[in-house]
Amino acid sequence: MSSFTARERLLAGSILVGLMAATPIAQPLAQQKAAPPDFPSNNVGWVGLNGNGPFFEAVPGRQPGPVTQDPKYPFVPNGVGGQPTFRISDLNHPNLKPWVKEHMKKGNDEVLAGKIGFTAGSSCVPLGVPGFMSQGGPNSLFFIQTPKDVRMILESNQQVRRVAMDVPHSANPTPSWYGESVGHYEGDTLVVDTIGQNNKTVVDAYRTPHTEKLHVVERWHLIDGGKGLEVNITVDDPDTFNQPWSTYVRHVRGKEAFYEDICAENNLNLFDYHMPVAEKPDF
């Protein structure tokens, strides 16, 4: 009995010594946490790679995808040598509700009849989400990151989104142009969840409408060793689409600091973009 107790004490002591030796190593490992991605990019912005393409790309192997151009009317972007054309949405897309197709057909008919197919960006109105990510060309995207929030700023018209970090959604957010965005980090990825948008915006460059049930999830992460930025987007609106759809947008690091691109006041463009004008002073 006494010899068994001695061996038991010796074994217990060995285990205790092992645990004590392992503690200084185990604690730092448990406390390790991946650093959040650095999006501010040395005070230079991110430029969309697909500004002359379909803007929202289809995710390989995942259906349904975003609305695309009607194949009967091929899209010709600026700067490729041919006569540029406007976007005509493919109304045969199986994911659109009947009322959406009827609404978009009116827009298609107007463009085909010779009316300019204005987008939210060209009209200087807020873009909403995910329309915020549909801007292409030279318009840079800038980030400001703090522990409490992330700000996304579009060079074009200085539109700003605020993402509140590590907080839940409000119970009943009041519908607004950009809705309510909350976010958190999952390793090297910024995850943004947006609800509470009004129905005054469109979701893409094809003027696809939506309802106030719109729910958008974005996953922002660096690619190509930090030289690129990709956002994977999931869009859900049960009153507009038959099922949620996915897309992605890629950016490359810009080379210039923030440039103040005027859109409304003192606009230097040569066309009437239906810019909003206040009917009476608000001050």
Side-chain angles (χ1 to χ4, degrees), residues 159-215:
Q159 296 201 43
V160 181
R161 288 182 59 194
R162 177 180 181 268
V163 180
M165 298 298 292
D166 300 313
V167 296
H169 275 300
S170 304
N172 295 292
T174 300
S176 59
W177 288 95
Y178 277 112
E180 181 182 79
S181 295
V182 300
H184 65 276
Y185 292 109
E186 292 183 2
D188 62 355
T189 300
L190 169 64
V191 182
V192 181
D193 190 290
T194 301
I195 60 173
Q197 295 188 75
N198 62 37
N199 59 7
K200 298 179 181 180
T201 63
V202 294
V203 301
D204 55 23
Y206 291 97
R207 306 173 297 278
T208 305
H210 66 84
T211 72
E212 293 183 356
K213 293 183 179 179
L214 182 64
H215 178 199

Coordinates of all heavy atoms in Angstrom, one line a residue, residues 159-215:
Q159 N -18.4 59.5 -51.5 CA -19.4 58.8 -50.8 C -18.8 57.9 -49.7 O -17.7 57.3 -50.0 CB -20.2 57.9 -51.8 CG -21.0 58.7 -52.8 CD -22.1 57.9 -53.4 OE1 -22.9 57.2 -52.7 NE2 -22.3 58.1 -54.7
V160 N -19.4 57.9 -48.6 CA -18.7 57.2 -47.4 C -19.7 56.2 -46.8 O -20.9 56.5 -46.6 CB -18.4 58.3 -46.3 CG1 -17.7 57.6 -45.1 CG2 -17.5 59.4 -46.9
R161 N -19.1 55.0 -46.5 CA -19.8 54.0 -45.8 C -19.2 53.8 -44.4 O -18.0 53.9 -44.3 CB -19.8 52.7 -46.5 CG -20.6 52.5 -47.8 CD -20.5 51.1 -48.3 NE -20.9 50.1 -47.4 CZ -20.6 48.8 -47.6 NH1 -19.9 48.4 -48.6 NH2 -21.1 47.9 -46.7
R162 N -20.0 53.6 -43.4 CA -19.5 53.3 -42.1 C -19.9 51.9 -41.7 O -21.1 51.5 -41.8 CB -20.1 54.3 -41.0 CG -19.6 54.0 -39.6 CD -20.2 55.0 -38.6 NE -19.7 54.7 -37.3 CZ -20.4 53.9 -36.4 NH1 -21.5 53.3 -36.7 NH2 -19.9 53.6 -35.2
V163 N -18.9 51.2 -41.2 CA -19.1 49.8 -40.8 C -18.8 49.8 -39.3 O -17.6 50.0 -38.9 CB -18.2 48.8 -41.5 CG1 -18.5 47.4 -41.0 CG2 -18.5 48.9 -43.0
A164 N -19.8 49.6 -38.4 CA -19.6 49.5 -37.0 C -19.0 48.1 -36.6 O -19.6 47.1 -37.0 CB -20.9 49.8 -36.2
M165 N -17.9 48.1 -35.9 CA -17.2 46.8 -35.7 C -17.7 46.2 -34.4 O -17.8 46.8 -33.3 CB -15.7 47.0 -35.7 CG -15.2 47.5 -37.0 SD -15.4 46.4 -38.4 CE -14.4 45.0 -37.9
D166 N -17.8 44.8 -34.4 CA -18.1 44.0 -33.3 C -19.3 44.4 -32.4 O -19.3 44.4 -31.2 CB -16.8 43.9 -32.4 CG -15.6 43.4 -33.1 OD1 -15.8 42.4 -33.8 OD2 -14.5 44.0 -33.0
V167 N -20.4 44.8 -33.1 CA -21.6 45.1 -32.5 C -22.7 44.4 -33.2 O -22.6 44.1 -34.4 CB -21.9 46.7 -32.5 CG1 -20.8 47.4 -31.6 CG2 -21.9 47.2 -33.9
P168 N -23.9 44.2 -32.6 CA -25.0 43.5 -33.3 C -25.8 44.6 -34.1 O -25.7 45.8 -33.9 CB -25.8 43.0 -32.2 CG -25.6 43.9 -31.0 CD -24.1 44.3 -31.1
H169 N -26.7 44.1 -35.0 CA -27.6 45.0 -35.7 C -28.6 45.5 -34.7 O -28.9 44.9 -33.7 CB -28.3 44.2 -36.8 CG -27.5 44.1 -38.1 ND1 -27.2 45.2 -38.8 CD2 -27.1 43.0 -38.8 CE1 -26.5 44.8 -39.9 NE2 -26.5 43.5 -39.9
S170 N -29.1 46.7 -35.1 CA -30.2 47.3 -34.3 C -31.5 46.4 -34.6 O -31.6 45.7 -35.6 CB -30.5 48.7 -34.8 OG -29.4 49.5 -34.7
A171 N -32.4 46.4 -33.6 CA -33.6 45.6 -33.7 C -34.4 46.0 -35.0 O -34.8 45.1 -35.7 CB -34.5 45.8 -32.5
N172 N -34.6 47.3 -35.2 CA -35.4 47.7 -36.4 C -34.7 49.0 -37.0 O -35.2 50.1 -36.7 CB -36.8 48.0 -36.0 CG -37.6 46.8 -35.5 OD1 -37.9 45.9 -36.3 ND2 -37.9 46.7 -34.2
P173 N -33.7 48.8 -37.7 CA -33.0 50.0 -38.3 C -33.9 50.8 -39.2 O -34.6 50.2 -40.0 CB -31.8 49.4 -39.0 CG -32.1 48.0 -39.3 CD -33.0 47.6 -38.1
T174 N -33.9 52.1 -39.1 CA -34.6 52.9 -40.1 C -34.0 52.8 -41.5 O -32.8 53.1 -41.6 CB -34.6 54.4 -39.6 OG1 -35.2 54.5 -38.3 CG2 -35.5 55.3 -40.6
P175 N -34.8 52.5 -42.5 CA -34.2 52.4 -43.8 C -33.5 53.7 -44.3 O -34.0 54.8 -44.1 CB -35.5 52.1 -44.7 CG -36.4 51.5 -43.8 CD -36.2 52.2 -42.5
S176 N -32.3 53.5 -44.9 CA -31.5 54.6 -45.3 C -30.8 54.2 -46.6 O -30.8 53.1 -47.0 CB -30.5 55.0 -44.2 OG -29.7 54.0 -43.9
W177 N -30.1 55.2 -47.2 CA -29.4 54.9 -48.5 C -28.4 53.8 -48.4 O -28.3 53.0 -49.2 CB -28.7 56.2 -48.9 CG -29.6 57.3 -49.4 CD1 -30.1 58.3 -48.7 CD2 -30.2 57.4 -50.8 NE1 -30.9 59.1 -49.5 CE2 -31.0 58.6 -50.8 CE3 -30.1 56.7 -51.9 CZ2 -31.7 59.0 -51.9 CZ3 -30.7 57.1 -53.1 CH2 -31.5 58.2 -53.1
Y178 N -27.6 53.8 -47.3 CA -26.6 52.8 -47.1 C -26.9 51.7 -46.1 O -26.2 50.8 -45.8 CB -25.2 53.4 -46.8 CG -24.5 53.9 -48.0 CD1 -24.3 55.2 -48.3 CD2 -24.0 52.9 -49.0 CE1 -23.6 55.6 -49.4 CE2 -23.4 53.4 -50.1 CZ -23.2 54.7 -50.3 OH -22.5 55.1 -51.5
G179 N -28.1 51.9 -45.4 CA -28.5 50.9 -44.5 C -27.6 50.9 -43.2 O -26.9 51.8 -42.9
E180 N -27.6 49.8 -42.5 CA -26.8 49.6 -41.3 C -25.8 48.5 -41.6 O -26.2 47.3 -41.8 CB -27.7 49.3 -40.1 CG -26.9 49.1 -38.8 CD -27.8 48.7 -37.7 OE1 -28.2 47.5 -37.6 OE2 -28.2 49.6 -36.9
S181 N -24.6 48.8 -41.5 CA -23.5 47.8 -41.7 C -22.8 47.5 -40.4 O -22.3 48.5 -39.8 CB -22.5 48.3 -42.8 OG -23.1 48.4 -44.1
V182 N -22.7 46.3 -40.1 CA -21.8 45.9 -38.9 C -20.8 44.9 -39.4 O -21.0 44.1 -40.4 CB -22.7 45.2 -37.8 CG1 -23.7 46.2 -37.3 CG2 -23.4 44.0 -38.3
G183 N -19.7 44.9 -38.8 CA -18.6 44.0 -39.2 C -17.8 43.4 -38.2 O -17.9 43.7 -37.0
H184 N -17.0 42.4 -38.5 CA -16.0 41.8 -37.7 C -14.9 41.1 -38.5 O -15.1 41.0 -39.7 CB -16.7 40.7 -36.8 CG -17.2 39.5 -37.5 ND1 -18.4 39.5 -38.1 CD2 -16.7 38.3 -37.8 CE1 -18.7 38.4 -38.8 NE2 -17.6 37.6 -38.6
Y185 N -13.8 40.8 -37.9 CA -12.7 40.2 -38.6 C -12.7 38.7 -38.4 O -12.9 38.2 -37.2 CB -11.4 40.7 -38.1 CG -11.1 42.1 -38.5 CD1 -11.1 43.2 -37.6 CD2 -10.9 42.5 -39.9 CE1 -10.9 44.5 -37.9 CE2 -10.7 43.8 -40.2 CZ -10.7 44.8 -39.3 OH -10.5 46.1 -39.6
E186 N -12.6 37.9 -39.4 CA -12.4 36.5 -39.3 C -11.0 36.2 -39.9 O -10.8 36.1 -41.1 CB -13.4 35.7 -40.1 CG -14.8 35.8 -39.5 CD -15.9 35.0 -40.3 OE1 -15.5 34.3 -41.3 OE2 -17.1 35.1 -39.9
G187 N -10.0 36.2 -39.0 CA -8.6 36.1 -39.5 C -8.2 37.2 -40.3 O -8.2 38.4 -39.8
D188 N -7.8 37.0 -41.6 CA -7.4 38.1 -42.4 C -8.5 38.6 -43.3 O -8.3 39.3 -44.3 CB -6.3 37.6 -43.3 CG -6.7 36.4 -44.3 OD1 -7.9 36.0 -44.1 OD2 -5.9 36.0 -45.1
T189 N -9.8 38.4 -42.9 CA -10.9 38.8 -43.7 C -11.8 39.7 -42.9 O -12.2 39.4 -41.8 CB -11.7 37.6 -44.2 OG1 -10.9 36.8 -45.0 CG2 -12.9 38.0 -45.0
L190 N -12.2 40.8 -43.5 CA -13.2 41.7 -43.0 C -14.6 41.3 -43.5 O -14.9 41.3 -44.7 CB -13.0 43.2 -43.4 CG -14.1 44.2 -43.0 CD1 -14.3 44.3 -41.5 CD2 -13.8 45.6 -43.7
V191 N -15.5 40.9 -42.6 CA -16.8 40.5 -42.9 C -17.8 41.6 -42.6 O -17.8 42.1 -41.4 CB -17.2 39.2 -42.1 CG1 -18.6 38.7 -42.6 CG2 -16.2 38.1 -42.4
V192 N -18.6 42.0 -43.5 CA -19.6 43.1 -43.4 C -21.0 42.6 -43.7 O -21.2 42.0 -44.7 CB -19.2 44.3 -44.3 CG1 -20.2 45.5 -44.0 CG2 -17.8 44.8 -44.0
D193 N -21.9 42.9 -42.7 CA -23.3 42.5 -42.9 C -24.2 43.7 -42.9 O -24.1 44.5 -42.0 CB -23.7 41.6 -41.7 CG -25.0 40.9 -41.9 OD1 -26.1 41.6 -41.9 OD2 -25.1 39.7 -42.1
T194 N -24.9 43.9 -44.0 CA -25.7 45.1 -44.2 C -27.2 44.8 -44.4 O -27.6 44.0 -45.2 CB -25.2 45.9 -45.4 OG1 -23.8 46.2 -45.3 CG2 -26.0 47.2 -45.6
I195 N -28.0 45.5 -43.6 CA -29.5 45.4 -43.7 C -30.0 46.9 -43.6 O -29.2 47.8 -43.5 CB -30.1 44.6 -42.6 CG1 -29.8 45.1 -41.2 CG2 -29.6 43.1 -42.7 CD1 -30.5 44.4 -40.1
G196 N -31.3 47.1 -43.7 CA -31.9 48.4 -43.4 C -31.7 49.4 -44.5 O -31.7 50.6 -44.2
Q197 N -31.6 49.0 -45.8 CA -31.5 49.9 -46.9 C -32.9 50.3 -47.4 O -33.8 49.5 -47.4 CB -30.7 49.4 -48.0 CG -29.2 49.1 -47.7 CD -28.4 48.7 -48.9 OE1 -28.1 49.5 -49.7 NE2 -28.1 47.4 -49.0
N198 N -33.0 51.6 -47.8 CA -34.3 51.9 -48.5 C -34.3 51.4 -49.9 O -33.3 50.8 -50.4 CB -34.5 53.5 -48.5 CG -33.4 54.2 -49.3 OD1 -32.9 53.7 -50.3 ND2 -33.0 55.4 -48.8
N199 N -35.4 51.5 -50.6 CA -35.5 51.0 -52.0 C -35.2 52.0 -53.1 O -35.7 51.8 -54.2 CB -36.9 50.3 -52.2 CG -38.0 51.3 -52.0 OD1 -37.8 52.5 -51.8 ND2 -39.2 50.8 -52.0
K200 N -34.5 53.0 -52.8 CA -34.2 54.1 -53.7 C -32.9 53.8 -54.6 O -32.7 54.5 -55.6 CB -34.0 55.4 -53.0 CG -35.3 55.9 -52.3 CD -35.0 57.2 -51.6 CE -36.3 57.7 -50.9 NZ -36.0 59.0 -50.2
T201 N -32.2 52.8 -54.2 CA -30.9 52.5 -54.9 C -31.2 51.2 -55.8 O -32.2 50.6 -55.8 CB -29.8 52.2 -54.0 OG1 -30.1 51.0 -53.2 CG2 -29.6 53.4 -53.0
V202 N -30.2 50.9 -56.6 CA -30.2 49.7 -57.4 C -28.9 48.9 -57.0 O -28.0 49.4 -56.4 CB -30.1 50.0 -58.9 CG1 -31.4 50.7 -59.4 CG2 -28.9 50.9 -59.3
V203 N -29.0 47.6 -57.3 CA -27.9 46.7 -56.8 C -26.7 46.6 -57.7 O -25.7 46.1 -57.3 CB -28.4 45.3 -56.5 CG1 -29.5 45.4 -55.4 CG2 -28.9 44.6 -57.7
D204 N -26.9 47.1 -59.0 CA -25.8 46.8 -60.0 C -25.8 47.9 -61.1 O -26.6 48.8 -61.1 CB -25.8 45.4 -60.5 CG -27.2 45.1 -61.2 OD1 -27.9 46.1 -61.6 OD2 -27.5 43.9 -61.2
A205 N -24.9 47.7 -62.1 CA -24.9 48.6 -63.2 C -26.0 48.4 -64.2 O -26.1 49.2 -65.1 CB -23.5 48.5 -63.9
Y206 N -26.8 47.4 -64.0 CA -27.9 47.1 -64.9 C -29.2 47.7 -64.3 O -30.3 47.3 -64.8 CB -28.0 45.6 -65.2 CG -26.9 45.1 -66.0 CD1 -25.8 44.5 -65.4 CD2 -26.9 45.3 -67.4 CE1 -24.7 44.0 -66.2 CE2 -25.9 44.8 -68.2 CZ -24.8 44.2 -67.6 OH -23.7 43.8 -68.3
R207 N -29.1 48.5 -63.3 CA -30.3 49.2 -62.7 C -31.3 48.2 -62.1 O -32.5 48.4 -62.2 CB -31.0 50.1 -63.8 CG -30.0 51.0 -64.4 CD -30.7 51.8 -65.6 NE -31.1 50.9 -66.7 CZ -30.2 50.5 -67.7 NH1 -28.9 50.9 -67.6 NH2 -30.7 49.8 -68.6
T208 N -30.8 47.1 -61.6 CA -31.7 46.1 -60.9 C -32.2 46.6 -59.6 O -31.4 47.0 -58.7 CB -30.9 44.8 -60.7 OG1 -30.3 44.3 -61.9 CG2 -31.8 43.7 -60.1
P209 N -33.5 46.7 -59.4 CA -34.1 47.3 -58.2 C -34.0 46.3 -57.1 O -33.6 45.1 -57.2 CB -35.5 47.6 -58.6 CG -35.8 46.5 -59.6 CD -34.6 46.3 -60.4
H210 N -34.5 46.7 -55.9 CA -34.6 45.8 -54.8 C -35.6 46.4 -53.8 O -36.1 47.5 -54.0 CB -33.2 45.7 -54.1 CG -32.7 47.0 -53.4 ND1 -33.1 47.4 -52.2 CD2 -31.9 47.9 -53.9 CE1 -32.5 48.6 -51.9 NE2 -31.8 48.9 -53.0
T211 N -35.9 45.6 -52.7 CA -36.9 46.1 -51.7 C -36.1 46.3 -50.4 O -34.9 46.2 -50.4 CB -38.0 45.0 -51.5 OG1 -37.4 43.9 -50.7 CG2 -38.6 44.5 -52.8
E212 N -36.8 46.7 -49.4 CA -36.2 47.0 -48.1 C -35.8 45.7 -47.4 O -35.2 45.8 -46.3 CB -37.1 47.9 -47.2 CG -37.3 49.3 -47.8 CD -38.2 50.1 -46.9 OE1 -38.7 49.6 -45.9 OE2 -38.3 51.3 -47.2
K213 N -36.0 44.6 -48.0 CA -35.6 43.3 -47.4 C -34.2 42.9 -47.8 O -33.7 41.9 -47.4 CB -36.6 42.2 -47.7 CG -38.0 42.3 -47.1 CD -38.8 41.1 -47.5 CE -40.2 41.3 -46.9 NZ -41.1 40.1 -47.2
L214 N -33.6 43.8 -48.6 CA -32.2 43.5 -49.1 C -31.2 43.2 -48.0 O -31.2 44.0 -47.0 CB -31.7 44.7 -50.0 CG -30.4 44.5 -50.6 CD1 -30.4 43.4 -51.6 CD2 -29.9 45.8 -51.3
H215 N -30.5 42.1 -48.1 CA -29.5 41.7 -47.1 C -28.2 41.4 -47.9 O -28.2 40.5 -48.7 CB -30.0 40.5 -46.3 CG -29.0 40.0 -45.3 ND1 -29.1 38.8 -44.7 CD2 -27.9 40.6 -44.7 CE1 -28.1 38.6 -43.9 NE2 -27.4 39.7 -43.8

